Amino acid sequence: MKDILLGVNVDHIATLRQARGTSYPDPAHAASVAEHAGADGITIHLREDRRHIQDRDVYVMAKTIQTRMNLETAVTDEMIKIALEVKPEYVCLVPEKREELTTEGGLDAAKECGAPYVEIHTGAYADATNDTDLHKELEHIREGVKYAASLGLIVNAGHGLHYHNVKPIAAMPEIYELNIGH
C-alpha cells in the first residue's frame, strides 16, 4: 500500500473550547499531541465567523507547529491578509457561506487559477446512511479524484473521515493526503 500523508484537523478541539467559553481545550496542544503521534501536518480553518479557530490560535500554531500548517480560509481580504502575515506552508482557499455548518462548496477552476492541490470533500460519503448512497458517493469521489489528477492537480481528501470509513478513500491511488479531524 502506498504512503499517504496524514493531516490532522484540530478545529473541533477549538469548537469544544468555544462552546464551553473557556481557554481549554487548546487546539495548539492538540496539534502538538498529533505531531508527536506521527501526523504529517496540522490543518486549521479560520472561518469568518470565528466559530472555532480564533486569530490567536493561528498565530500561536504558526510558531509552535513542527511539521507544517495547512491554513484553510475564505477568499476575503481579511483572511488573505492573515495568511500573508502567518505564511503557513499551505493555504487552502475555501468558498464559505455564512449559513453553512461546514464548507461544502468547491472551486470550479482550480487548475486555471494555478492551484497545485485540491481537497475532495468526502462529507456526503461519510454521512451516507445506506449501502446504495455510500457506493454512489464513493463513486462520485472516485470520479472527482481521477478527474483532478488528470488535470495534474495533487489530490487530498477530507471531511467526516474516521477509522471506520477511511479505507476506501485511502485505497485510491491518486490520494496524496487525508485530512482527518475526528
Side-chain angles (χ1 to χ4, degrees):
M1 184 173 221
K2 68 180 172 47
D3 288 336
I4 296 177
L5 297 180
L6 173 62
V8 175
N9 186 315
V10 297
D11 290 351
H12 294 303
I13 302 297
T15 300
L16 183 58
R17 176 196 60 202
Q18 296 307 110
R20 289 180 170 176
T22 63
S23 61
Y24 62 90
D26 182 0
H29 179 258
S32 176
V33 170
E35 288 180 315
H36 283 99
D40 297 299
I42 303 298
T43 295
I44 60 174
H45 186 167
L46 181 63
R47 296 184 67 99
E48 288 183 274
D49 63 11
R50 308 305 201 271
R51 70 179 66 162
H52 39 60
I53 295 295
Q54 304 295 302
D55 294 48
R56 178 186 179 281
D57 298 324
V58 175
Y59 289 98
V60 166
M61 285 190 264
K63 292 180 181 175
T64 59
I65 289 175
Q66 300 296 304
T67 54
R68 59 184 164 70
M69 178 192 283
N70 173 23
L71 177 62
E72 296 180 339
T73 186
V75 185
T76 66
D77 290 342
E78 176 193 22
M79 295 297 158
I80 300 300
K81 180 178 179 262
I82 291 170
L84 289 170
E85 289 174 5
V86 172
K87 295 181 176 51
E89 285 75 9
Y90 298 106
V91 175
C92 183
L93 301 175
V94 181
E96 289 181 13
K97 297 179 200 150
R98 294 192 186 277
E99 65 276 5
E100 287 179 329
L101 293 178
T102 184
T103 307
E104 296 175 355
L107 298 176
D108 295 331
K111 183 67 177 174
E112 283 110 28
C113 76
Y117 293 79
V118 292
E119 180 171 296
I120 301 296
H121 185 273
T122 56
Y125 160 76
D127 294 338
T129 58
N130 60 62
D131 285 345
T132 301
D133 290 345
L134 183 80
H135 293 298
K136 181 180 89 173
E137 294 303 332
L138 189 58
E139 189 54 34
H140 284 144
I141 292 168
R142 192 174 282 115
E143 290 170 8
V145 166
K146 286 181 185 221
Y147 180 68
S150 77
L151 294 175
L153 295 166
I154 299 168
V155 185
N156 298 341
H159 190 87
L161 297 175
H162 53 73
Y163 181 79
H164 298 288
N165 69 5
V166 72
K167 192 172 183 179
I169 305 296
M172 295 178 191
E174 301 87 357
I175 297 290
Y176 178 75
E177 179 172 338
L178 295 169
N179 287 304
I180 299 177
H182 64 288

